[in-house]
Amino acid sequence: MALKFSTGLPNAREGRLHPVGSVTPEWLIRISKLAEDLGYYSLWPNEFYATFPDLQKRYVDPPNLYDTIITMAYVMAETKRVRVTPSTIVLPLHD
C-alpha cells in the first residue's frame, strides 16, 4: 500500500496559523491546485467560527472564516484529483 499525504485547508485558520487578511477565496484555490500538483491525496478544511480573544484585541478587522461545506464545493469545482473531506464539522450549525 502506498503512503498518502494530506494537508489542512486553512478556510477557518486565519489569525490562528495565517495572518489576518491573508486567506482569500483565490488563495484557497491556489493552495488546493498546488497541493494537487504536488501529489497530495486530500485536503481537510476545518470548521471554527470563534476568534481567540487575544486576536480580537490585536486586529481591528475580524479574520476571514469560510464555511467548510461551501469551501469544499468551491475547491472541488477547481481541482480534478485531490480529495476534499472535512476535518471538523459542527453539525448543529447545519440543517
Side-chain angles (χ1 to χ4, degrees), residues 47 60 77 82:
E47 190 161 64
V60 176
V82 70

Side-chain angles (χ1 to χ4, degrees), residues 48-66:
F48 297 113
Y49 292 113
T51 303
F52 291 131
D54 64 317
L55 288 174
Q56 290 175 331
K57 293 175 189 172
R58 263 191 299 181
Y59 297 101
V60 176
D61 295 325
N64 293 313
L65 303 172
Y66 298 100

Side-chain angles (χ1 to χ4, degrees), residues 35-93:
E36 184 172 61
D37 290 346
L38 291 172
Y40 278 80
Y41 180 74
S42 65
L43 299 169
W44 297 8
N46 290 291
E47 190 161 64
F48 297 113
Y49 292 113
T51 303
F52 291 131
D54 64 317
L55 288 174
Q56 290 175 331
K57 293 175 189 172
R58 263 191 299 181
Y59 297 101
V60 176
D61 295 325
N64 293 313
L65 303 172
Y66 298 100
D67 180 83
T68 302
I69 296 172
I70 300 299
T71 299
M72 289 171 47
Y74 183 65
V75 165
M76 287 187 283
E78 297 292 327
T79 57
K80 295 184 179 9
R81 184 201 50 77
V82 70
R83 291 160 175 79
V84 184
T85 186
S87 173
T88 307
I89 286 283
V90 182
L91 290 177
L93 295 177

